[in-house]
Amino acid sequence: MKRGKVEMVSSTVSTARQTRSEVIERVERRLSEFLAAERERWLGVNLRGAVPVEAVTDLVAAGGKRLRPAFCAAGFLAAGGDPAEPLLVDAAAGVELIHTGALIHDDVLDASELRRGTPAVHTLHAAGHVEHGWLGEPRRYGEGVAIISGVLANVYADRLTRDLPPAARDIWSEMLTEIQIGQYLDVAVAAEGVVDPDLSRWIAICKSGRYSIHRPLLLGAAIAGRQDLAPVFEEFGEALGEAFQLRDDLIGTFGDSTAAGKPVGLDLEQHKMTLLLADAAERDESVRKLISAREWDTAEILDRLGEGKERIEQHITLLVERACGAIDRAGLDEDWRRELAEMAVEVAYRNR
């Protein structure tokens, strides 16, 4: 399915999109009200008690694509679930909080100073430490606040999803495990200088693409009691998850930091074996030699990656076609087949 063909059917808002948008509006309210209540609760104990809650709240309020809640809602609604189901809203809000916690921790691990156009949690609180002249090391304090805040986001997510049915709980647990193991492997491979394109591909898809699309879709379908849709959503999610991550890598390597809301180019500076780099290493011996060196020639690597951008764009198009083909064979309502296809295009061709 070509990008233009999908966009042609997007001129009017479908019933599916409107219903999904209404669910996401309820998710936004749930997050806002839940976090506001938590802030008030801990302010009543001590002013400092609200600091990690505010860190989570501020990042949620800073925006973001709400991609994961959107796919959770889409999986549930496409499976025939009742849009008024409160558990759907809690699960979608929980997925967003898991993402929030992951971002806070990512920024520490990647030494990224910006997130969504504002200082990252660890950066903000390290600066506050300096400003107030507190005791100890500012960096450690800022990173400590970030670690605690990220864990708190996960705790809140678990609270919101405590009533998940067993099948959905299994998917939830698997998603959280994949994120943590994938994150560790990402750190380990960079530190050890491992050149293993297959492993790097698995890490990239596992720690980002899979939990962004595949697992939220399965979670939504499981809440609706439609585990039979798992094979279709897996095929759709795996293909689109790879496209999502390749686009993420293109933005992180060649994009505009203002549009992205975060620094670009950090992955190469930190010897991260992204999916984009792993793909290039599989195809180009000179790239493999460059990344096998202890010190990377980032300018040369960047040039090599730039030469392959057109082929990556073509590969992304093929992945979108594969994802849409899976949905076409799913036996879903036509409105939802169209909606999922349009979501695939939006994910694969975004600029941030």
Side-chain angles (χ1 to χ4, degrees), residues 37 59 189 213 222-223 231 256 288 296:
L59 187 52
V189 164
I213 298 163
I223 295 170
D256 177 77
R288 285 197 294 275
W296 283 10

Side-chain angles (χ1 to χ4, degrees), residues 44-331:
V45 174
N46 186 275
L47 292 179
R48 299 171 186 83
V51 168
V53 185
E54 289 169 348
V56 175
T57 302
D58 290 346
L59 187 52
V60 170
K65 297 178 284 294
R66 301 298 192 252
L67 181 69
R68 293 146 196 88
F71 275 105
C72 180
F76 177 87
L77 296 167
D82 181 356
E85 172 59 58
L87 185 55
L88 168 63
V89 172
D90 280 352
V95 171
E96 184 63 23
L97 285 170
I98 290 297
H99 179 52
T100 300
L103 292 181
I104 293 171
H105 288 168
D106 272 353
D107 289 339
V108 174
L109 293 170
D110 296 342
S112 177
E113 295 187 354
L114 289 176
R115 173 62 64 178
R116 294 177 179 166
T118 62
V121 173
H122 70 283
T123 306
L124 178 67
H125 288 279
H129 186 286
V130 172
E131 181 182 349
H132 291 96
W134 290 337
L135 303 175
E137 184 183 345
R139 183 182 69 84
R140 286 180 62 85
Y141 175 79
E143 291 179 352
V145 174
I147 291 167
I148 292 165
S149 301
V151 171
L152 184 65
N154 289 349
V155 170
Y156 285 158
D158 222 39
R159 275 175 54 183
L160 288 173
T161 56
R162 60 191 170 197
D163 294 328
L164 286 176
R169 173 57 63 183
D170 288 344
I171 294 166
W172 179 264
S173 299
E174 185 68 13
M175 179 180 72
L176 299 193
T177 304
E178 286 172 342
I179 293 168
Q180 298 304 322
I181 298 300
Q183 189 68 275
Y184 167 71
L185 288 173
D186 188 40
V187 170
V189 164
E192 297 175 29
V194 175
V195 181
D196 185 338
D198 288 338
L199 176 59
S200 295
R201 179 180 297 277
W202 184 90
I203 292 168
I205 293 173
C206 177
K207 71 179 281 282
S208 184
R210 188 174 291 172
Y211 104 89
S212 297
I213 298 163
H214 176 199
R215 295 303 182 197
L217 272 172
L218 291 185
L219 181 66
I223 295 170
R226 290 291 306 276
Q227 289 91 317
D228 59 294
L229 289 172
V232 168
F233 283 165
E234 179 173 358
E235 185 177 355
F236 174 87
E238 289 291 316
L240 187 56
E242 183 174 348
F244 167 87
Q245 189 55 48
L246 283 170
R247 178 63 59 197
D248 209 49
D249 290 347
L250 285 172
I251 293 168
T253 305
F254 301 105
D256 177 77
S257 59
T258 302
K262 59 183 180 180
V264 299
L266 284 180
D267 287 333
L268 283 181
E269 290 178 14
Q270 297 170 357
H271 289 201
K272 287 289 184 74
M273 275 291 290
T274 62
L275 183 57
L276 179 66
L277 189 55
D279 183 86
E282 281 184 315
R283 298 171 182 277
D284 189 336
E285 176 64 29
S286 65
V287 174
R288 285 197 294 275
K289 289 181 179 178
L290 285 167
I291 63 177
S292 296
R294 187 167 183 83
E295 296 296 328
W296 283 10
D297 184 340
T298 55
E300 180 65 22
I301 294 172
L302 194 62
D303 285 344
R304 294 290 183 178
L305 292 177
E307 292 170 3
K309 281 175 68 176
E310 184 176 348
R311 191 192 60 76
I312 292 296
E313 291 290 356
Q314 292 171 351
H315 185 52
I316 288 173
T317 297
L318 290 174
L319 289 166
V320 172
E321 290 176 352
R322 187 188 309 166
C324 293
I327 292 301
D328 285 342
R329 299 189 298 271

